[in-house]
PDB file of all heavy atoms in Angstrom:
ATOM      1  N   TYR A  47     133.776  24.673 -45.039  1.00  0.00           N
ATOM      2  CA  TYR A  47     132.344  24.621 -45.210  1.00  0.00           C
ATOM      3  C   TYR A  47     131.648  24.727 -43.853  1.00  0.00           C
ATOM      4  O   TYR A  47     132.197  24.316 -42.836  1.00  0.00           O
ATOM      5  CB  TYR A  47     131.929  23.295 -45.853  1.00  0.00           C
ATOM      6  CG  TYR A  47     132.267  23.176 -47.317  1.00  0.00           C
ATOM      7  CD1 TYR A  47     133.571  22.948 -47.737  1.00  0.00           C
ATOM      8  CD2 TYR A  47     131.272  23.283 -48.280  1.00  0.00           C
ATOM      9  CE1 TYR A  47     133.880  22.833 -49.073  1.00  0.00           C
ATOM     10  CE2 TYR A  47     131.567  23.160 -49.626  1.00  0.00           C
ATOM     11  CZ  TYR A  47     132.869  22.939 -50.017  1.00  0.00           C
ATOM     12  OH  TYR A  47     133.163  22.828 -51.349  1.00  0.00           O
ATOM     13  N   TYR A  49     128.465  23.176 -41.917  1.00  0.00           N
ATOM     14  CA  TYR A  49     127.512  22.064 -41.954  1.00  0.00           C
ATOM     15  C   TYR A  49     126.536  22.207 -40.786  1.00  0.00           C
ATOM     16  O   TYR A  49     126.910  22.660 -39.709  1.00  0.00           O
ATOM     17  CB  TYR A  49     128.216  20.718 -41.770  1.00  0.00           C
ATOM     18  CG  TYR A  49     129.165  20.314 -42.873  1.00  0.00           C
ATOM     19  CD1 TYR A  49     130.473  20.776 -42.896  1.00  0.00           C
ATOM     20  CD2 TYR A  49     128.751  19.438 -43.866  1.00  0.00           C
ATOM     21  CE1 TYR A  49     131.349  20.375 -43.894  1.00  0.00           C
ATOM     22  CE2 TYR A  49     129.622  19.031 -44.862  1.00  0.00           C
ATOM     23  CZ  TYR A  49     130.914  19.508 -44.870  1.00  0.00           C
ATOM     24  OH  TYR A  49     131.768  19.108 -45.863  1.00  0.00           O
ATOM     25  N   TYR A  51     123.793  19.675 -38.703  1.00  0.00           N
ATOM     26  CA  TYR A  51     123.185  18.390 -38.434  1.00  0.00           C
ATOM     27  C   TYR A  51     122.221  18.573 -37.272  1.00  0.00           C
ATOM     28  O   TYR A  51     122.351  19.495 -36.494  1.00  0.00           O
ATOM     29  CB  TYR A  51     124.228  17.342 -38.023  1.00  0.00           C
ATOM     30  CG  TYR A  51     125.082  16.810 -39.141  1.00  0.00           C
ATOM     31  CD1 TYR A  51     126.099  17.572 -39.690  1.00  0.00           C
ATOM     32  CD2 TYR A  51     124.869  15.527 -39.649  1.00  0.00           C
ATOM     33  CE1 TYR A  51     126.890  17.073 -40.715  1.00  0.00           C
ATOM     34  CE2 TYR A  51     125.656  15.021 -40.671  1.00  0.00           C
ATOM     35  CZ  TYR A  51     126.662  15.799 -41.197  1.00  0.00           C
ATOM     36  OH  TYR A  51     127.438  15.298 -42.210  1.00  0.00           O
ATOM     37  N   GLY A 109     137.550  19.183 -49.240  1.00  0.00           N
ATOM     38  CA  GLY A 109     138.614  18.649 -50.067  1.00  0.00           C
ATOM     39  C   GLY A 109     139.657  17.874 -49.312  1.00  0.00           C
ATOM     40  O   GLY A 109     140.672  17.477 -49.871  1.00  0.00           O
ATOM     41  N   THR A 110     139.454  17.630 -48.048  1.00  0.00           N
ATOM     42  CA  THR A 110     140.409  16.816 -47.283  1.00  0.00           C
ATOM     43  C   THR A 110     140.130  15.344 -47.533  1.00  0.00           C
ATOM     44  O   THR A 110     139.108  14.980 -48.091  1.00  0.00           O
ATOM     45  CB  THR A 110     140.329  17.110 -45.780  1.00  0.00           C
ATOM     46  OG1 THR A 110     138.979  16.988 -45.358  1.00  0.00           O
ATOM     47  CG2 THR A 110     140.810  18.518 -45.501  1.00  0.00           C
ATOM     48  N   SER A 111     141.031  14.509 -47.062  1.00  0.00           N
ATOM     49  CA  SER A 111     140.976  13.102 -47.431  1.00  0.00           C
ATOM     50  C   SER A 111     139.947  12.293 -46.652  1.00  0.00           C
ATOM     51  O   SER A 111     139.719  11.137 -46.944  1.00  0.00           O
ATOM     52  CB  SER A 111     142.351  12.470 -47.237  1.00  0.00           C
ATOM     53  OG  SER A 111     142.740  12.572 -45.878  1.00  0.00           O
TER      54      SER A 111
ATOM     55  N   GLN B  51     139.198   5.089 -44.047  1.00  0.00           N
ATOM     56  CA  GLN B  51     138.957   5.668 -45.373  1.00  0.00           C
ATOM     57  C   GLN B  51     138.792   4.600 -46.440  1.00  0.00           C
ATOM     58  O   GLN B  51     138.074   4.800 -47.422  1.00  0.00           O
ATOM     59  CB  GLN B  51     140.120   6.578 -45.756  1.00  0.00           C
ATOM     60  CG  GLN B  51     140.250   7.808 -44.881  1.00  0.00           C
ATOM     61  CD  GLN B  51     141.510   8.585 -45.209  1.00  0.00           C
ATOM     62  OE1 GLN B  51     142.450   8.634 -44.428  1.00  0.00           O
ATOM     63  NE2 GLN B  51     141.521   9.206 -46.377  1.00  0.00           N
ATOM     64  N   GLU B  97     134.289   9.031 -49.893  1.00  0.00           N
ATOM     65  CA  GLU B  97     135.622   9.574 -49.686  1.00  0.00           C
ATOM     66  C   GLU B  97     135.718  10.918 -50.405  1.00  0.00           C
ATOM     67  O   GLU B  97     135.341  11.055 -51.555  1.00  0.00           O
ATOM     68  CB  GLU B  97     136.667   8.603 -50.224  1.00  0.00           C
ATOM     69  CG  GLU B  97     138.025   8.695 -49.544  1.00  0.00           C
ATOM     70  CD  GLU B  97     138.824   9.908 -49.961  1.00  0.00           C
ATOM     71  OE1 GLU B  97     138.782  10.233 -51.159  1.00  0.00           O
ATOM     72  OE2 GLU B  97     139.478  10.515 -49.107  1.00  0.00           O
ATOM     73  N   THR B  98     136.209  11.916 -49.673  1.00  0.00           N
ATOM     74  CA  THR B  98     136.165  13.298 -50.153  1.00  0.00           C
ATOM     75  C   THR B  98     136.802  13.491 -51.515  1.00  0.00           C
ATOM     76  O   THR B  98     136.365  14.309 -52.296  1.00  0.00           O
ATOM     77  CB  THR B  98     136.837  14.222 -49.140  1.00  0.00           C
ATOM     78  OG1 THR B  98     136.270  14.003 -47.868  1.00  0.00           O
ATOM     79  CG2 THR B  98     136.643  15.680 -49.531  1.00  0.00           C
ATOM     80  N   SER B 103     132.873  19.023 -55.215  1.00  0.00           N
ATOM     81  CA  SER B 103     132.583  20.220 -54.428  1.00  0.00           C
ATOM     82  C   SER B 103     133.485  20.341 -53.218  1.00  0.00           C
ATOM     83  O   SER B 103     133.571  21.395 -52.610  1.00  0.00           O
ATOM     84  CB  SER B 103     131.128  20.209 -53.964  1.00  0.00           C
ATOM     85  OG  SER B 103     130.934  19.181 -53.004  1.00  0.00           O
ATOM     86  N   GLY B 104     134.130  19.253 -52.823  1.00  0.00           N
ATOM     87  CA  GLY B 104     134.991  19.299 -51.648  1.00  0.00           C
ATOM     88  C   GLY B 104     134.234  19.093 -50.358  1.00  0.00           C
ATOM     89  O   GLY B 104     134.839  18.982 -49.303  1.00  0.00           O
TER      90      GLY B 104
END
Side-chain angles (χ1 to χ4, degrees):
Chain A
Y47 287 75
Y49 294 84
Y51 285 75
T110 52
S111 60
Chain B
Q51 294 174 250
E97 207 285 320
T98 308
S103 69

